[in-house]
Amino acid sequence: MSTRYLLRAVAPLGGDAVDVLLADGVIAAIGADASAEAGPDAIEVDGAGLVLLPGLVDLHTHLREPGREDAETVLSGTRAAALGGFTAVHAMANTTPTQDTAGVVEQVWRLGRDAGWVDVRPVGAVSVGLEGEQLAELGAMAGSAARVRVFSDDGKCVHDPVLMRRALEYTKAFDGVVSQHSQEPRLTAGAQMHEGVVSAEIGLAGWPAVAEEAIIARDVLLAEHVGARLHVCHLSTAGSVEIIRWAKSRGIDVTAEVTPHHLMLTDEEARGYDPVFKVNPPLRTAADVEAVRAGLADGTIDIVATDHAPHPREDKDCEWAAAAFGMTGLETALSVVQEAMVDTGRMTWADVARVLSSTPAAIGRVEDQGRPLAVGEPANLTLVDPAARRTVVPEEQGTASANSPFRGRQLPGAVVATFLRGRATVLDGRPQDDPDGSLRAAGREATV
Ligand SMILES: NC(=O)N[C@@H](CC(=O)O)C(=O)O
């Protein structure tokens, strides 16, 4: 018999505290029945003051394997995900080789299954080698064991409108979705950061907001024309929020994501020339941060996705122009959303469950994740302590890379436990391959 967990007096999304019993991979009982049915062997978890969320689902994670195992592996990245409260992640396609065939997506899916930390749903590339010329084997990836439903050339934009149209048409056939990295390449050649006052003052080449907005505007019109669904990756500007709002008002089938870092940080961070703040799309202005917060709160932006983009030291500890784009995010996402949206009174924990679990699961067609808290549902759950405060120390995180833009910051909230089909992957804030924390305290990766 698998281990049973009795979660005592947890707050399910703001409701009254209840006991919840996890057994045989599912939520076995809620309320008075839970303690009655628990039996003597159940492990009790004191949930007083804690919030019980459905396990988080990330639609945008870079796991880097195959090809850049010096930055992250499926094992280290998924362990980081579990520590961040996730029970499923979508692994982006910009690996080496590219995830553009059934063989490569199945390899990543298998590595994820064998690691056992979270469910890994590989994203398939839209074009062969992300080169934007020839459509990849979309149908074969969809029909593979990896059951790909999300397709993206992320890191690059599908900028050819004919290729984008074809991708939208083909993905419709198997209920897939194109997740577009919206960046007009000609408008961003050589770009280093957001184009604005700060880029002019510090002398770095700018990435104008219009380069994102022009592609989003084009794509929502293409999606309407074709009758397909479209997902917009890491939306970052006030203008992009307006375009999505307009598209939704016309009934266009579009969803959009914002990253935690775009909810919190601005282009002012670039003034110190620390490449940890170099990311694509770039950190924008305070007005953009306000617009994406408002867009997330009113439902124009559907989800938060991490765009966890680990890079090894040599790709970040260098001058700004030579550094790679990207920042880690799996282990700080929930805290950033708490600080930006919950602690400011703009969202409830039920909203957090929607934007970080049920809606990303729905967009990715992940059937057994993001489910309601009800008897018989798979026990994919995250237990959060909203009153905790912690200082971010990237070297103590599960990810194999240290490029967190939140280094040294105090953030609210902590993941106390994560359960994947009733098995604790994280308990007392510790990964369950290292239950007493000694390996991490010694500065060693546990099994990575
Ligand atoms: N978000 C990033 O800054 N980097 C991503 C790819 C990308 O979206 O450019 C990466 O793979 O490193």
Side-chain angles (χ1 to χ4, degrees), residues 237-380:
T237 78
S240 299
V241 178
E242 281 309 303
I243 295 165
I244 299 290
R245 193 171 282 132
W246 172 84
K248 288 189 167 181
S249 76
R250 277 173 72 91
I252 297 172
D253 196 359
V254 60
T255 52
E257 75 190 32
V258 62
T259 71
H261 44 274
H262 289 108
L263 285 170
M264 186 85 108
L265 305 172
T266 70
D267 58 348
E268 291 291 335
E269 303 283 359
R271 286 191 190 277
Y273 295 99
D274 182 346
V276 80
F277 298 109
K278 181 175 175 179
V279 66
N280 191 356
L283 301 175
R284 304 287 187 183
T285 67
D288 293 308
V289 170
E290 173 50 32
V292 294
R293 286 185 181 194
L296 185 63
D298 72 17
T300 303
I301 299 173
D302 301 83
I303 66 167
V304 174
T306 68
D307 192 10
H308 175 80
H311 289 289
R313 279 194 191 288
E314 60 272 26
D315 291 349
K316 277 296 198 182
D317 288 357
C318 52
E319 63 165 307
W320 182 286
F325 289 93
M327 29 183 75
T328 59
L330 285 168
E331 290 157 274
T332 45
L334 189 56
S335 292
V336 173
V337 171
Q338 182 182 336
E339 179 164 327
M341 305 302 294
V342 180
D343 292 353
T344 53
R346 299 182 96 143
M347 280 184 15
T348 64
W349 285 104
D351 294 325
V352 173
R354 174 172 49 80
V355 302
L356 271 166
S357 180
S358 57
T359 305
I363 294 169
R365 303 294 195 246
V366 187
E367 290 83 14
D368 65 346
Q369 298 273 355
R371 307 285 307 163
L373 183 71
V375 172
E377 292 286 357
N380 298 317

Side-chain angles (χ1 to χ4, degrees), residues 200-212:
E201 284 180 6
I202 71 173
L204 288 175
W207 194 133
V210 65
E212 174 172 307

